Amino acid sequence: MRTLEHPDRNSISLDGVLFALSDPTRRKIVRQLADGPPAQYCSQFALPISLSTQTHHFRVLREAGVIEQRYQGTAIVAALRSEDLTTRVPGLLEAILAAERAENPPN
Amino acid sequence: MRTLEHPDRNSISLDGVLFALSDPTRRKIVRQLADGPPAQYCSQFALPISLSTQTHHFRVLREAGVIEQRYQGTAIVAALRSEDLTTRVPGLLEAILAAERAENPPN
């Protein structure tokens, strides 16, 4: 079974998490994961970007420890690592999501 | 009187703030401002980097709206824009500073 590399909880750094979340597309992905079902197919994010750019953004989030990705058959499923993030950086994700929702209210 | 450019409160973006704070040296500057007197001379930050790199980091923080800088004679003084940040991104600075202190406890 193919697996994707993830940092373990203690390797999640503030540098990586903040950089990953400094991009609006990546925050959009995180917001969809926070607002929807806990695990979602990566192919079902409606982002106005090419597939390779999308893959890149998911990888940056995964390598920073913000999301996990796993194969489900040939598809890839993503989920927020909420518990790991809350442990490493309490309150950060909530603050960013709240600001993101205020900056970009749902239609 | 020379002045330095700052974004007004409503122009402070989550992208800029998160990117500015994704660098450990810039977080060190922010932490020193948060833990010390509200306004501090830029020249009095003991950072193990060249003066030009230090100037660069202060500028990134200023252009993101995280700090303000103003001339005092020929010296430059920096201060955190705590109120503006709390208005734009409530809880963010506190969460980042708490994580920063946990990652790098004071000696």
Side-chain angles (χ1 to χ4, degrees):
Chain A
M1 177 85 183
R2 271 174 83 189
T3 54
L4 296 157
E5 286 204 26
H6 295 79
D8 62 27
R9 179 184 287 184
N10 292 328
S11 305
I12 296 176
S13 76
L14 205 42
D15 289 17
V17 171
L18 293 174
F19 175 75
L21 295 173
S22 71
D23 179 274
T25 300
R26 293 196 287 267
R27 285 200 305 278
K28 207 167 171 178
I29 292 171
V30 166
R31 184 175 171 183
Q32 182 170 329
L33 287 171
D35 292 346
Q40 300 180 37
Y41 287 107
C42 294
S43 58
Q44 289 184 339
F45 284 70
L47 302 167
I49 52 175
S50 71
L51 187 60
S52 69
T53 305
Q54 186 164 327
T55 302
H56 162 76
H57 284 310
F58 275 103
R59 190 177 64 241
V60 172
L61 288 168
R62 171 168 52 79
E63 290 178 348
V66 176
I67 66 169
E68 57 170 312
Q69 288 182 289
R70 60 172 191 279
Y71 278 94
Q72 208 162 79
T74 54
I76 298 179
V77 164
L80 264 186
R81 294 178 63 176
S82 310
E83 204 185 310
D84 290 331
L85 288 172
T86 299
T87 305
R88 292 289 291 169
V89 202
L92 180 76
L93 195 60
E94 294 71 12
I96 292 175
L97 284 169
E100 177 65 26
R101 290 181 186 114
E103 245 182 39
N104 302 293
N107 300 328
Chain B
M1 175 89 185
R2 272 175 81 191
T3 55
L4 295 156
E5 286 205 26
H6 295 81
D8 63 26
R9 180 184 286 184
N10 292 328
S11 305
I12 296 176
S13 77
L14 204 43
D15 288 18
V17 172
L18 293 174
F19 175 74
L21 296 173
S22 71
D23 179 273
T25 300
R26 293 196 287 267
R27 285 200 305 280
K28 208 168 170 180
I29 292 171
V30 166
R31 185 176 170 182
Q32 181 169 329
L33 287 170
D35 292 345
Q40 300 179 36
Y41 287 107
C42 295
S43 58
Q44 289 183 339
F45 284 71
L47 301 167
I49 51 175
S50 72
L51 187 61
S52 70
T53 306
Q54 188 166 324
T55 302
H56 162 77
H57 285 311
F58 275 103
R59 190 176 64 240
V60 172
L61 287 168
R62 172 169 50 80
E63 290 178 349
V66 176
I67 65 169
E68 56 171 312
Q69 288 182 290
R70 61 172 191 278
Y71 278 94
Q72 208 163 79
T74 54
I76 298 179
V77 163
L80 263 186
R81 295 179 64 176
S82 309
E83 203 185 309
D84 291 331
L85 288 172
T86 300
T87 305
R88 292 290 291 170
V89 202
L92 181 74
L93 196 60
E94 292 74 11
I96 292 175
L97 284 169
E100 177 66 25
R101 290 182 185 114
E103 245 181 40
N104 300 296
N107 301 328

